[in-house]
Amino acid sequence: MLDDRVPCGYLSTTPDGVLVRVNATFLAWTGHRREDLVGRRRFVDLLPVGGRIYHETHYAPALRLQGTAREIALEVVCADGRRLPVLVNSVLERDADGTPRLIRTAVFDATERRRYEQEMLAATRRAEASEARAVELAQTLQQTLIPPTPPQVPGLDVAAAYRPAGDGRHVGGDFYDVFQVATDDWVVVLGDVQGKGVEAAVVTALARHTVRAAAVDHDAPRQVLHTLDQVLRGAATDRFCTAVLARLRRTDGTWRASVACAGHPLPLLRPSAGHPAPVGRHGPLLGVFPQPVFSDTEVTLAPGDTLVLFTDGVTEGRHRRGELYGNDRLAAVVAEHRGPAADVTDAILADVLRYQSGDARDDIAVVTVAVL
Amino acid sequence: MTVVDRHDIRVSGVPGAQPIVFAHGFGCDQHMWRHVAPRFEDAFTVVTFDHVGAGGSDLAAYDPVRYGTLDGYAQDVLEIVRKLDLRDVVLVGHSVSAMIGVLAVAAEPDRFDKLVLVGPSPRYLDDDGYTGGFTRADVAELLESLDSNYLGWSSAMAPVIMGNVDRPELGAELTASFCRTDPDIARRFARVTFLSDNRADLARVPVPTLVLQCTDDVIAPVAVGQYVRDAIPGARMVLLDATGHCPNLSAPEATTAAIAGFVRAGHP
């Protein structure tokens, strides 16, 4: 018969799956004998358990529903127990009155294809594992760049928030640090290294440690920024950096802040009664210019005064229509929230995220310092 | 994420009438009931839903610990019933959801009026003096096949149901979601399903119970259906003249009639 010579397996079954006809190719592939199959076994009986469940829940319903099922990947259990990977096409034939009459099934040997799929699957798994390691590494690295919680500072209420752009798979370029130099003498620094990823993280780590070391030797924030600038220009990187640095000292019960800026948005100072206003003077980027000049701005802080340092991920957050979040919106949120530093910080983060419909394209960092 | 969204719960039928809740089995979703559930809309509040990991459920809600046993799934059924404030519930569970139903009813019997088990199996593995129909090697192979060959269970599964211009009732929504299963969750669910042993729980079912058994079921043989009938106090069994494990699809008329005969007593 023609059936027997075609280079694919061919079966026909009753609508219930009982084998009616089996061609020689199928028998040769599987080692089954015709007399063991025809009238005795159903097609589903030739499948291993996984295939049987798939047959029951997908293959048979699809066939009943639409009359055909195509390219179904299955394994057939051979007479010697071996599994033959196959691809199967079936059609359901109906009588004139629509009653199912016969299922015709073509079976294609898919051994090579299955091997190829297994290789692809293994490659996919390796890639996924590698990606997972990279994400873990990025997150670990990120944690070393951002203090988990700001320190407790006597007389000050300090809160910080950091949210990397995107899905957290990449190390962001924003950083901040709050550390003590001496009794009643603290440094708050917040910066933004150009770019993202491991190379940016190296520069971020360098910047953070340089500020810590320089703050011991230099009282004035501008001097600390100057040292940082020199270190960055001497380092083997093309990346530049922006930063704002505030040194907070308490003498005779009164806090004074000295603020210096390098290519960074000016922090907002909100007096206990009054509207927020930028504090400090703009300065050049770090790591770029040969003779940068930075300057300090001194302010006296009264109880209730609040200083907010932030990265451009806040003010340059973009609305769906492209409009920037901007200084005015930030100032409005700061003006409105007069609670603890954590509340002010959370309100800013929430507002800027909402503005961007929750999809921040840039890192966001905020440090809020309120005088108690 | 509410319980309703988590399970893509759909409610139809007569508001305030006795509720009938349909729970789908392994490798399926609530579409499995599409030929049966609507037939009860004339006199019941009809509820269908997807287990977490299947169909339109919220995949993010999948918790490997919670769903590491069938009890987690039974808790979901109870949460659904409580959330919709259903009482006097008829619970219809297919395949693994039969045992999920047993656990739910045993845990909170006051909520339930009747239990229908379609193709139930309290233990798929053969055991001393018990025939579940699956050897250890079968189950090991099943789990291995899900593990190593999820191409067959994911990408190749999706196009099984294709759009068909000749059959407009196969709407885009159905073709897009028919028994869509997250492969990773399917793998875990298979492990839970095929390694569970709920034989001891059957005696804890205190409500009238109907076992619907197909004559020729490759997943849950007749002997297993009989075992379930005998182990649940007062349970009855109807043998459906249907092949396969999914009479809700292959023999919806007979399935509907058997369920109706059991649950419509006292209904118009």
Side-chain angles (χ1 to χ4, degrees):
Chain A
M1 282 198 320
L2 179 61
D3 281 0
D4 283 332
R5 297 203 305 273
V6 295
C8 73
Y10 172 75
L11 320 164
S12 58
T13 72
T14 64
D16 281 351
V18 178
L19 292 159
V20 177
R21 226 162 107 181
V22 184
N23 79 343
T25 309
F26 185 81
L27 296 172
W29 282 353
T30 60
H32 288 296
R33 294 185 307 173
R34 183 170 275 124
E35 56 269 35
D36 294 339
L37 300 183
V38 171
R40 291 170 177 270
R41 308 283 293 276
R42 288 167 305 173
F43 177 60
V44 69
D45 296 330
L46 302 179
L47 307 177
V49 178
R52 271 186 251 160
I53 294 170
Y54 186 44
H55 182 279
E56 293 301 295
T57 56
H58 291 80
Y59 183 76
L63 203 49
R64 266 192 300 274
L65 202 63
Q66 61 192 14
T68 65
R70 289 173 53 192
E71 287 192 58
I72 307 296
L74 293 171
E75 289 184 336
V76 169
V77 181
C78 301
D80 61 1
R82 203 167 38 87
R83 276 30 177 178
L84 175 71
V86 295
L87 282 177
V88 165
N89 285 355
S90 290
V91 292
L92 173 67
E93 288 188 0
R94 294 175 189 273
D95 285 340
D97 65 353
T99 313
R101 192 173 68 84
L102 190 70
I103 298 170
R104 297 184 190 277
T105 299
V107 180
F108 302 94
D109 184 344
T111 309
E112 286 305 316
R113 183 187 130 138
R114 200 63 49 84
R115 196 169 294 144
Y116 174 60
E117 286 173 351
Q118 301 283 12
E119 277 169 22
M120 283 204 302
L121 187 61
T124 304
R125 292 243 167 100
R126 280 196 298 277
E128 283 169 356
S130 173
E131 172 82 7
R133 278 197 298 277
V135 169
E136 193 187 344
L137 193 62
Q139 285 164 348
T140 307
L141 191 54
Q142 191 84 69
Q143 281 160 13
T144 67
L145 302 175
I146 300 290
T149 49
Q152 293 284 326
V153 181
L156 296 177
D157 173 16
V158 183
Y162 173 75
R163 189 186 191 279
D167 56 7
R169 283 165 177 262
H170 304 285
V171 191
D174 284 9
F175 67 96
Y176 63 81
D177 200 4
V178 181
F179 60 93
Q180 185 172 27
V181 181
T183 306
D184 287 340
D185 182 358
W186 290 78
V187 171
V188 179
V189 62
L190 181 143
D192 182 357
V193 172
Q194 177 231 356
K196 297 186 196 314
V198 173
E199 211 189 316
V202 170
V203 178
T204 305
L206 177 65
R208 203 170 155 223
H209 295 128
T210 301
V211 168
R212 282 211 171 208
V216 176
D217 288 340
H218 302 292
D219 282 348
R222 68 182 151 78
Q223 293 171 311
V224 176
L225 291 181
H226 193 75
T227 304
L228 177 56
D229 175 69
Q230 284 182 318
V231 168
L232 286 178
R233 276 188 289 137
T237 176
D238 297 335
R239 287 176 195 271
F240 54 85
C241 167
T242 73
V244 55
L245 198 143
R247 188 141 189 167
L248 298 147
R249 288 195 184 87
R250 179 160 64 173
T251 45
D252 303 327
T254 302
W255 285 100
R256 293 185 62 78
S258 184
V259 176
C261 241
H264 199 90
L266 298 178
L268 282 181
L269 175 61
R270 190 200 66 207
S272 57
H275 202 75
V279 58
R281 280 190 291 275
H282 287 286
L285 288 170
L286 295 161
V288 179
F289 304 107
Q291 302 267 303
V293 176
F294 306 104
S295 58
D296 296 325
T297 302
E298 301 273 339
V299 286
T300 301
L301 301 174
D305 288 0
T306 300
L307 187 63
V308 179
L309 292 73
F310 55 91
T311 52
D312 60 8
V314 174
T315 42
E316 293 182 9
R318 267 182 201 278
H319 196 273
R320 256 179 289 126
R321 295 190 301 270
E323 201 182 336
L324 293 180
Y325 184 75
N327 292 316
D328 293 347
R329 281 192 183 79
L330 176 61
V333 173
V334 174
E336 191 184 330
H337 290 85
R338 301 209 162 246
D343 291 1
V344 178
T345 308
D346 293 347
I348 294 169
L349 187 63
D351 197 55
V352 74
L353 283 176
R354 193 161 48 238
Y355 186 78
Q356 300 176 86
S357 309
D359 179 27
R361 293 228 194 99
D362 197 1
D363 305 337
I364 297 169
V366 178
V367 178
T368 305
V369 180
V371 179
L372 294 171
Chain B
M1 177 65 54
T2 66
V3 173
V4 173
D5 293 332
R6 190 176 74 190
H7 294 286
D8 195 13
I9 296 174
R10 307 194 187 176
V11 181
S12 58
V14 182
Q18 181 174 26
I20 183 165
V21 177
F22 291 92
H24 70 80
F26 175 79
C28 311
D29 65 21
Q30 60 184 304
H31 287 114
M32 224 52 186
W33 293 111
R34 67 187 179 281
H35 299 311
V36 174
R39 310 286 292 275
F40 292 86
E41 286 170 350
D42 63 320
F44 292 84
T45 299
V46 176
V47 179
T48 59
F49 70 96
D50 292 328
H51 285 300
V52 169
S57 69
D58 176 25
L59 299 186
Y62 186 81
D63 171 356
V65 176
R66 179 182 175 99
Y67 300 112
T69 67
L70 293 185
D71 288 295
Y73 293 93
Q75 286 306 316
D76 281 357
V77 171
L78 292 172
E79 281 178 26
I80 290 165
V81 165
R82 285 190 217 114
K83 178 71 189 176
L84 301 179
D85 197 23
L86 305 178
R87 285 164 203 288
D88 221 18
V89 175
V90 176
L91 181 58
V92 184
H94 173 229
S95 194
V96 64
S97 274
M99 285 311 118
I100 292 168
V102 163
L103 293 170
V105 169
E108 224 166 292
D110 293 348
R111 287 267 180 192
F112 297 92
D113 178 43
K114 283 173 180 163
L115 182 61
V116 179
L117 309 176
V118 184
S121 175
R123 169 76 166 167
Y124 290 94
L125 272 179
D126 295 340
D127 203 352
D128 280 345
Y130 172 83
T131 304
F134 290 74
T135 63
R136 286 209 167 269
D138 284 336
V139 171
E141 183 179 2
L142 163 63
L143 298 177
E144 202 272 328
S145 74
L146 282 171
D147 230 24
S148 65
N149 178 29
Y150 75 65
L151 286 164
W153 277 81
S154 54
S155 49
M157 251 173 168
V160 170
I161 302 284
M162 283 159 292
N164 188 333
V165 288
D166 302 330
R167 304 282 301 278
E169 72 272 23
L170 308 181
E173 173 248 4
L174 175 60
T175 55
S177 69
F178 179 77
C179 293
R180 186 173 51 194
T181 311
D182 178 83
D184 191 42
I185 297 176
R187 199 156 64 225
R188 293 165 191 268
F189 193 21
R191 190 169 290 278
V192 174
T193 299
F194 290 97
L195 296 179
S196 289
D197 184 353
N198 297 100
R199 283 176 290 177
D201 296 305
L202 298 174
R204 298 165 56 215
V205 174
V207 303
T209 300
L210 174 70
V211 175
L212 281 189
Q213 175 69 46
C214 293
T215 48
D216 223 343
D217 185 336
V218 290
I219 310 289
V222 173
V224 172
Q226 286 165 343
Y227 180 97
V228 173
R229 176 199 59 196
D230 295 343
I232 296 178
R236 287 157 45 194
M237 183 165 103
V238 169
L239 201 57
L240 293 174
D241 185 18
T243 306
H245 185 56
C246 303
N248 39 6
L249 284 179
S250 63
E253 300 293 330
T255 304
T256 302
I259 298 173
F262 179 61
V263 303
R264 280 192 191 264
H267 281 277

